[in-house]
Amino acid sequence: MLVTPHLFIPGPTNVPEAVRRAMDIRQEDMRSPEFPKFTLPLFEDLKKAFKLTNGRVFIYPASGTGAWESAITNTLNTGDKVLMSRFGQFSLLWVDMAQRLGLNVQVLDEEWGTGVPVEKYAEILAADKGHEIKAVFVTQNETATGVTSDVAGVRKALNDAKHPALLFVDGVSSVGSIDMRMEEWGVDCCVSGSQKGFMLPTGLGILAVSNKALEANKSGKMPRCFFSFEDMIKNNDLGYFPYTPATPHLRGLRASLDMLFAEGLDNVFARHHRLAEGVRRAVNAWGLKLCAKEPKWYSDTVSAILVPEGVDSAQVVKTGYYRYNTSFGVGLNKVAGKVFRIGHLGALDEVMVGGALFAAEMALRDCGVNLVPGSGTGAAAEYFRETTKASATSRPELKLAS
Ligand SMILES: *Cc1c(COP(=O)(O)O)cnc(C)c1O
């Protein structure tokens, strides 16, 4: 049967029609005299998605992992002391990368289901009178456990300690879906990628940097080549790249930014919050719990849902895939077999979330979870009905979504 598979993993996310059409282009001459007319405004507009007015953005033909590496190798030195925390597969992998690149990492291991320990960061920074710590890392949204951390709180800890360390944020599964205020929060390097909030296929590593990070780049001596800021800046300033850019992705990014700005970033964040809340109502109605330990950690882009003892969450995901043509995220590493994840970010509305919950409900029951049929989907539907602001007689946004 030729049916579209239903994709509810936390990236890659669903690519809207407008973005797909924008990417369906002839290959173009990336050194043409016309190309900068497209790229220079794209660089400026991309900064707006990070709420950054100074600094700059770098777009690599890579993925989020490449942007992680770019941030580290361009601004730090081998042996530099950095402060990181680990509470899920993505924060864990960033620590691993920092260690493999030769940084001296002070790692705080936190319980999975919690996030960045802001108070511990504050104590450590206050005690670091000699300013040994060169950078502080925050995974804003831990995609493995559905936990969002307090970036503003870490900025406050740095300010309170009058600490000059750089602030690095992983925003791969949050930028474009959850608020990121690079300038206000004094974020120096913010990592993202194309296939989550930006609603594109995988293929771009995106890194937004402050002027302070650009200054650090000048004194940083770590070997760098493919990700080199210097090479990028020299070419980007003229609207070009040091090597062949992923031009269809750039065209898609233009369309994606246009969609985000037409909806309005605040409306985009509110939509994500409301859809996530619908999922949380469903989880509660099923009698299940999130991996995120407390409401302050709840993520608006992904929910990691704990299955009852004796049930294998991998089986739930497999059942969704084979029986209901629906993909959910599996549990990774420490939470393998214990959680399954519903990605609710990007191009998504209530009916799509309803479909995800419908499939999850069936797969959970198939795997022996004794929930009341219709309980989760019903709770979400009622929440969406009660909170909708849409008019029953007009749809002004239809022309935007075409
Ligand atoms: C997806 C993800 C990554 C890895 O990005 P890739 O594009 O797969 O390289 C890193 N951090 C977080 C928080 C993610 O969600």
Side-chain angles (χ1 to χ4, degrees):
M1 205 179 12
L2 276 177
V3 219
T4 314
H6 310 293
L7 190 65
F8 296 106
I9 56 176
T13 63
N14 295 284
V15 179
E17 283 301 313
V19 173
R20 279 172 56 174
R21 281 202 296 267
M23 297 184 70
D24 185 8
I25 51 160
R26 290 167 184 278
Q27 290 310 302
E28 58 189 311
D29 174 2
M30 76 293 182
R31 305 214 190 276
S32 84
E34 290 294 309
F35 199 57
K37 291 183 190 159
F38 165 63
T39 51
L40 292 173
L42 181 70
F43 297 149
E44 277 313 301
D45 285 344
L46 182 53
K47 282 164 62 176
K48 293 179 192 158
F50 293 84
K51 298 194 177 161
L52 181 70
T53 57
N54 65 40
R56 52 196 307 151
V57 284
F58 298 108
I59 308 173
Y60 301 99
S63 74
T65 304
W68 270 351
E69 183 159 332
S70 173
I72 291 174
T73 56
N74 276 290
T75 61
L76 296 170
N77 284 302
T78 310
D80 274 355
K81 185 166 177 191
V82 298
L83 177 60
M84 302 181 83
S85 47
R86 190 159 52 184
F87 41 79
Q89 183 64 6
F90 294 93
S91 46
L92 176 148
L93 287 173
W94 208 10
V95 167
D96 178 60
M97 173 185 277
Q99 289 169 334
R100 283 156 69 176
L101 290 172
L103 299 180
N104 170 13
V105 186
Q106 179 172 2
V107 194
L108 304 180
D109 271 304
E110 299 299 313
E111 195 182 355
W112 288 36
T114 69
V116 172
V118 174
E119 277 106 65
K120 288 187 202 165
Y121 272 27
E123 278 169 33
I124 292 166
L125 290 167
D128 181 33
K129 301 286 183 220
H131 299 160
E132 292 284 304
I133 296 169
K134 299 302 175 206
V136 175
F137 288 60
V138 174
T139 297
Q140 184 185 21
N141 192 74
E142 174 51 78
T143 318
T145 55
V147 161
T148 299
S149 285
D150 179 10
V151 180
V154 175
R155 166 43 60 198
K156 184 170 183 303
L158 281 157
N159 288 353
D160 289 350
K162 298 196 168 51
H163 202 293
L166 294 166
L167 177 54
F168 282 40
V169 175
D170 176 344
V172 180
S173 62
S174 44
V175 172
S177 313
I178 293 174
D179 204 3
M180 163 48 62
R181 306 182 193 173
M182 266 191 85
E183 206 136 293
E184 184 182 327
W185 297 340
V187 175
D188 296 300
C189 290
C190 185
V191 172
S192 190
S194 47
Q195 79 276 22
K196 296 181 186 176
F198 287 113
M199 309 176 286
L200 292 160
T202 317
L204 301 179
I206 299 172
L207 179 67
V209 300
S210 68
N211 283 336
K212 186 170 157 187
L214 291 170
E215 272 312 304
N217 171 252
K218 292 177 187 154
S219 55
K221 287 178 195 65
M222 227 186 249
R224 50 182 92 118
C225 178
F226 182 77
F227 292 116
S228 157
F229 284 2
E230 300 92 313
D231 296 354
M232 271 291 190
I233 290 169
K234 213 163 40 185
N235 288 274
N236 283 179
D237 276 348
L238 303 173
Y240 299 106
F241 291 84
Y243 36 68
T244 321
T247 45
H249 280 70
L250 298 180
R251 294 287 171 183
L253 180 59
R254 177 71 266 169
S256 141
L257 290 174
D258 290 344
M259 284 182 78
L260 290 173
F261 299 150
E263 185 176 352
L265 284 179
D266 287 342
N267 295 328
V268 172
F269 305 149
R271 173 167 56 83
H272 280 83
H273 178 72
R274 183 161 163 270
L275 295 177
E277 188 54 31
V279 172
R280 293 189 281 261
R281 299 283 170 115
V283 171
N284 187 47
W286 289 334
L288 299 180
K289 293 237 166 329
L290 292 172
C291 180
K293 300 277 176 204
E294 289 175 58
K296 69 169 181 176
W297 302 120
Y298 290 172
S299 163
D300 284 342
T301 62
V302 51
S303 294
I305 301 159
L306 288 161
V307 296
E309 287 285 325
V311 174
D312 177 5
S313 68
Q315 205 55 44
V316 175
V317 173
K318 215 179 254 180
T319 304
Y321 184 80
Y322 284 118
R323 253 191 198 158
Y324 306 117
N325 199 25
T326 300
S327 285
F328 298 113
V330 292
L332 298 169
N333 197 329
K334 275 192 200 176
V335 289
K338 299 196 173 99
V339 309
F340 73 101
R341 294 173 297 150
I342 301 180
H344 34 79
L345 74 163
L348 215 67
D349 68 3
E350 299 93 330
V351 175
M352 293 167 83
V353 168
L357 297 172
F358 185 78
E361 215 161 82
M362 291 191 288
L364 284 163
R365 280 180 56 79
D366 289 346
C367 293
V369 179
N370 185 24
L371 53 82
V372 179
S375 56
T377 44
E382 282 304 287
Y383 173 73
F384 291 149
R385 277 189 54 242
E386 284 157 15
T387 54
T388 187
K389 291 199 179 69
S391 151
T393 52
S394 84
R395 289 284 301 278
E397 80 280 15
L398 279 181
K399 57 181 182 304
L400 296 175
S402 64

